Amino acid sequence: MKDVAQLAGVSPKTVSNVLTGAVAVREGTRERVQAAMDELDFVPNLSARGLRNGRTGIIGVALPDLATAFSADLAHTIVEQAHERGLAVQFEETAAEPEREHDLVSRARTHLIDGLILNPVRLEDSVIERVDHLPPVVLIGEVEQHRADRVYVDSRVASREITEHVLSRGARRIAALGGAVRGQDGKATAGLRLLGYLDALRDAGLEADPQLQVDVEQWTIGGAAAAVEELLARQVPFDAVVAFTDTLAFGALHALHRAGLRVPEDVLVTGFDDVEHAAFTLPPLTTVAFTRTDYVSAALDLLSARFEERAGRRDDGPSQAVVIPHRLVLRESTQGTPAGYVPTGSP
Amino acid sequence: MKDVAQLAGVSPKTVSNVLTGAVAVREGTRERVQAAMDELDFVPNLSARGLRNGRTGIIGVALPDLATAFSADLAHTIVEQAHERGLAVQFEETAAEPEREHDLVSRARTHLIDGLILNPVRLEDSVIERVDHLPPVVLIGEVEQHRADRVYVDSRVASREITEHVLSRGARRIAALGGAVRGQDGKATAGLRLLGYLDALRDAGLEADPQLQVDVEQWTIGGAAAAVEELLARQVPFDAVVAFTDTLAFGALHALHRAGLRVPEDVLVTGFDDVEHAAFTLPPLTTVAFTRTDYVSAALDLLSARFEERAGRRDDGPSQAVVIPHRLVLRESTQGTPAGYVPTGSP
DNA sequence: ATGAAAGCGCTAACAT
DNA sequence: ATGTTAGCGCTTTCAT
């Protein structure tokens, strides 16, 4: 920058002013500086700027697994919107080891990021609590947590509604794909969606059968397919599968087909998230949709607001929660009254 | 750091030594310093370190669209492996605007990254050429480009092989889904895969029908489905679809099913990349597979080698190219001899 | 094995 | 509207 200043016959500060645009610079001066920058092929050093300003313009995003359809969709939307706001995005994955979530949060300060968007798998209140001097954190997705800003859809209500829809089609033995109640160590998302499912059963006067609460080890298509195959092998009769994510539903569709069961004639299937593929499965999948861009812009708005608080040395306000509205998208996978899966052999 | 030094009764340099581990520190001193760091909840400032060292420990990754299954898979693998190597990963998307690719490369220096992994959509030689003083760049995927390191699978050969496989099943009118020959502005990947397809037809003594080279505007499931629907509407007979990516094949499966055509009884379908979902479609998809981890570790190895060159102030060696082996994965979507789609109406 | 001093590139504060 | 000064937090000489 000194070189540019010298070539343009100004001081480094003026070059800085031209770059940041914060302070007015006379037109002629600006042009000379600009010419000098072009001439020298000058690019500002963001490390230095970051050191000086205490802000890097990078936000961190931590998702369970970037290869999962929903996370990928989210990642795409975040990058797109962050780019529009002049922010770069650094990604981390949290699903590999359970401790990684805590590690990530506690070391967030070191990682050159101004703030963190975190989609926790099983974050407990304590994690945020234990760590002080954090950069702003926005939690997305379900988590019982009141120390940090949050953006989420009302999973419990959505799950109840989609279960009610399946009930309205005549299903009575509905499998919940994504996890049984398992205390604290289960996935937060799974917990709430299971509660919604149970709400619907209770309201319909049905008893919940624990055999129909199907745990899935790996939340992948293959993991879900294996879980449904095991359910079939256990000879448990059922006439619908309410999956806690679209990815799990994809696995269910596959396993049911391999078993010779038809969707929706024999078994109804629903998902959650409405990823692109959900509209193109065979049959297309009934699922819960919400506007991805609203979801992401709410998260970025919350972060930005915190940035400004800090810049203005204002006190941090109380944590905010934004609920993104959801809606049911009805497709062929629930069009009809299911005949049900009736085990043929002995259990 | 000064505070830590003071509390531990040493100089800042010693604290630095403890942190980096580069220089030996006496055991007792190390412990005192460590205790002081814990006491003060000290975290090193990476901006400062980056400024001083000229390296940030962040690499940039530019992919066309993070929501696409293949990109998402790649992103996942990159984050995972970079994490193991102590690198953080910053993502950008390039598909939105065509100019973004060039923008990205030319501004790479500003973005706090030590190196760039770029999956170009249509990068021409000139882009790298025009930009000087770049950080190390590794290109992944197809691109005619000899100025930067590259990692790729031999798309042309793979495409020829999968087309030959479809021919061996008896298909004769094979649609290529992903783009016709369109000169310089087409996608590099599409170009090579089309060439492989044409190679196979030629070797089989078949004439290529331009009507069967189906352009896809948006490389999404929906875009591919629309393109296949349009092909059907044009009343062009065909008995197989060789799609240039799995995502495109998913769209084809959907469109064919909606049109009442069965796969593989009426039409064979193949994909490319072997993303997870390819094994779970109805029917499961024959596709081209390659080991994702090898692909990514080759890219990271190339980058790391360049980092070391620069650190050692050695001259940059000539650019390297690593070809990752591929293999055909045969699944049900090509099991059988297709009856073919025979238009019923008049064209 | 440890310390002292200097400087990486930038910008906020203050001066002009 | 522009220049001067100082310092962000770290690490690399060079001493000791």
Side-chain angles (χ1 to χ4, degrees):
Chain A
M1 209 160 98
K2 218 187 297 178
D3 299 343
V4 173
Q6 194 158 9
L7 182 60
V10 297
S11 79
K13 172 59 181 161
T14 303
V15 179
S16 172
N17 287 341
V18 171
L19 276 172
T20 59
V23 181
V25 177
R26 202 178 299 146
E27 191 52 37
T29 317
R30 150 171 287 114
E31 277 163 17
R32 284 211 321 288
V33 171
Q34 191 62 54
M37 293 199 300
D38 292 347
E39 166 76 19
L40 296 178
D41 197 20
F42 168 82
V43 174
N45 178 321
L46 293 197
S47 276
R49 187 178 287 174
L51 174 58
R52 178 66 243 224
N53 291 346
R55 315 188 342 104
T56 57
I58 306 180
I59 60 170
V61 174
L63 300 172
D65 174 2
L66 279 171
T68 303
F70 174 66
S71 290
D73 195 357
L74 216 54
H76 162 72
T77 309
I78 292 173
V79 166
E80 200 169 53
Q81 293 201 14
H83 183 91
E84 282 166 17
R85 295 169 186 233
L87 294 168
V89 186
Q90 191 173 309
F91 281 96
E92 292 284 351
E93 290 191 350
T94 50
E97 314 120 40
E99 256 311 291
R100 193 128 150 208
E101 218 157 90
H102 173 250
D103 266 34
L104 205 73
V105 175
S106 62
R107 283 209 301 264
R109 287 172 293 164
T110 84
H111 276 302
L112 280 171
I113 61 172
D114 296 337
L116 184 63
I117 295 181
L118 178 60
N119 182 7
V121 175
R122 62 188 85 209
L123 188 69
E124 303 126 44
D125 228 50
S126 52
V127 171
I128 301 277
E129 201 164 358
R130 263 188 288 164
V131 182
D132 263 344
H133 314 300
L134 271 185
V137 175
V138 173
L139 264 17
I140 57 179
E142 283 70 21
V143 72
E144 289 300 323
Q145 162 67 66
H146 303 275
R147 266 163 214 293
D149 295 331
R150 285 160 293 152
V151 178
Y152 58 96
V153 295
D154 194 331
S155 264
R156 181 169 182 170
V157 167
S159 182
R160 196 192 71 212
E161 289 170 356
I162 205 163
T163 308
E164 282 167 352
H165 164 68
V166 169
L167 286 165
S168 79
R169 294 295 192 202
R172 282 301 169 268
R173 291 198 42 86
I174 305 171
L177 185 60
V181 190
R182 305 178 65 251
Q184 294 292 42
D185 66 311
K187 299 182 197 253
T189 303
L192 285 170
R193 296 188 185 168
L194 185 68
L195 285 176
Y197 156 89
L198 294 172
D199 291 345
L201 293 187
R202 190 198 54 232
D203 291 357
L206 293 174
E207 192 144 352
D209 180 350
Q211 289 202 87
L212 291 175
Q213 294 166 26
V214 182
D215 232 345
V216 181
E217 283 296 312
Q218 285 248 39
W219 280 36
T220 59
I221 308 178
V228 170
E229 268 158 23
E230 209 233 302
L231 177 68
L232 290 163
R234 290 209 322 263
Q235 306 267 14
V236 180
F238 63 93
D239 50 19
V241 176
V242 168
F244 291 168
T245 72
D246 284 350
T247 293
L248 297 178
F250 298 154
L253 286 177
H254 180 80
L256 293 172
H257 177 75
R258 291 226 328 175
L261 292 164
R262 294 159 306 160
V263 177
E265 292 85 350
D266 297 321
V267 176
L268 308 183
V269 176
T270 66
F272 202 114
D273 293 334
D274 194 30
V275 300
E276 194 200 7
H277 212 137
F280 296 98
T281 48
L282 189 52
L285 192 65
T286 289
T287 187
V288 174
F290 53 96
T291 310
R292 219 68 92 220
T293 48
D294 291 350
Y295 194 77
V296 167
S297 66
L300 290 176
D301 286 346
L302 288 170
L303 263 191
S304 302
R306 296 291 173 193
F307 293 162
E308 278 167 28
E309 274 179 5
R310 305 230 167 166
R313 279 165 203 83
R314 267 178 285 145
D315 271 353
D316 289 1
S319 50
Q320 315 261 321
V322 177
V323 182
I324 302 297
H326 62 268
R327 62 191 176 280
L328 256 51
V329 176
L330 305 184
R331 299 206 184 94
E332 288 170 40
S333 71
T334 58
Q335 298 289 354
T337 302
Y341 158 61
V342 184
T344 48
S346 48
Chain B
M1 209 161 99
K2 217 187 297 179
D3 299 343
V4 173
Q6 194 160 7
L7 182 60
V10 297
S11 79
K13 168 60 180 160
T14 304
V15 178
S16 171
N17 286 341
V18 170
L19 276 172
T20 60
V23 181
V25 177
R26 202 177 300 148
E27 190 52 37
T29 317
R30 148 170 290 114
E31 276 164 17
R32 282 211 322 286
V33 171
Q34 191 61 55
M37 293 200 300
D38 292 348
E39 166 76 20
L40 296 179
D41 197 19
F42 168 82
V43 174
N45 178 320
L46 293 197
S47 277
R49 185 178 288 175
L51 174 58
R52 179 65 243 223
N53 291 345
R55 313 188 344 102
T56 56
I58 306 181
I59 60 171
V61 175
L63 300 172
D65 174 1
L66 278 170
T68 303
F70 174 66
S71 290
D73 196 357
L74 216 54
H76 162 72
T77 310
I78 292 173
V79 166
E80 200 169 53
Q81 293 201 12
H83 183 90
E84 282 167 18
R85 294 167 187 236
L87 295 168
V89 186
Q90 192 173 308
F91 281 95
E92 291 284 350
E93 291 191 349
T94 51
E97 315 119 39
E99 256 311 292
R100 193 128 152 209
E101 218 157 88
H102 173 251
D103 266 33
L104 204 73
V105 175
S106 61
R107 283 209 301 264
R109 287 172 293 163
T110 84
H111 276 303
L112 279 171
I113 62 171
D114 297 337
L116 183 64
I117 294 181
L118 178 60
N119 182 7
V121 175
R122 62 188 85 209
L123 188 69
E124 303 126 44
D125 228 49
S126 53
V127 172
I128 300 278
E129 202 165 357
R130 265 188 286 163
V131 183
D132 264 344
H133 315 298
L134 272 185
V137 175
V138 173
L139 265 16
I140 57 180
E142 283 70 22
V143 71
E144 289 300 322
Q145 162 68 65
H146 303 275
R147 268 162 213 296
D149 295 332
R150 285 160 293 152
V151 178
Y152 58 98
V153 296
D154 194 331
S155 265
R156 181 169 182 170
V157 168
S159 182
R160 196 191 71 213
E161 289 169 357
I162 205 163
T163 308
E164 282 167 352
H165 164 68
V166 169
L167 285 165
S168 78
R169 294 296 192 202
R172 282 301 169 270
R173 293 198 40 86
I174 305 172
L177 185 60
V181 190
R182 303 178 65 251
Q184 294 293 41
D185 65 309
K187 299 182 198 251
T189 303
L192 285 170
R193 295 187 186 169
L194 185 67
L195 285 175
Y197 156 88
L198 294 171
D199 291 345
L201 293 187
R202 191 198 53 231
D203 290 357
L206 293 175
E207 193 145 350
D209 180 350
Q211 289 202 87
L212 290 175
Q213 295 166 26
V214 182
D215 232 345
V216 182
E217 283 297 311
Q218 285 248 38
W219 281 37
T220 59
I221 308 178
V228 170
E229 268 159 23
E230 209 234 302
L231 177 67
L232 291 164
R234 290 210 322 265
Q235 306 268 14
V236 181
F238 62 94
D239 51 19
V241 176
V242 168
F244 291 168
T245 72
D246 285 349
T247 293
L248 297 178
F250 299 153
L253 286 176
H254 181 80
L256 293 172
H257 177 75
R258 291 226 328 175
L261 291 163
R262 293 160 307 160
V263 177
E265 291 85 348
D266 298 319
V267 177
L268 307 184
V269 175
T270 66
F272 202 114
D273 292 334
D274 194 30
V275 300
E276 194 199 8
H277 212 137
F280 296 99
T281 49
L282 189 52
L285 192 66
T286 289
T287 188
V288 175
F290 53 96
T291 309
R292 219 68 92 220
T293 49
D294 291 350
Y295 194 77
V296 167
S297 67
L300 290 176
D301 286 345
L302 288 170
L303 263 191
S304 303
R306 296 291 172 193
F307 292 161
E308 278 167 27
E309 274 179 6
R310 306 230 165 165
R313 281 164 205 81
R314 268 178 286 146
D315 272 351
D316 289 2
S319 50
Q320 315 259 323
V322 177
V323 182
I324 302 297
H326 63 267
R327 62 191 177 279
L328 256 50
V329 176
L330 305 184
R331 299 206 184 94
E332 289 169 40
S333 71
T334 58
Q335 299 287 356
T337 302
Y341 159 60
V342 184
T344 49
S346 48

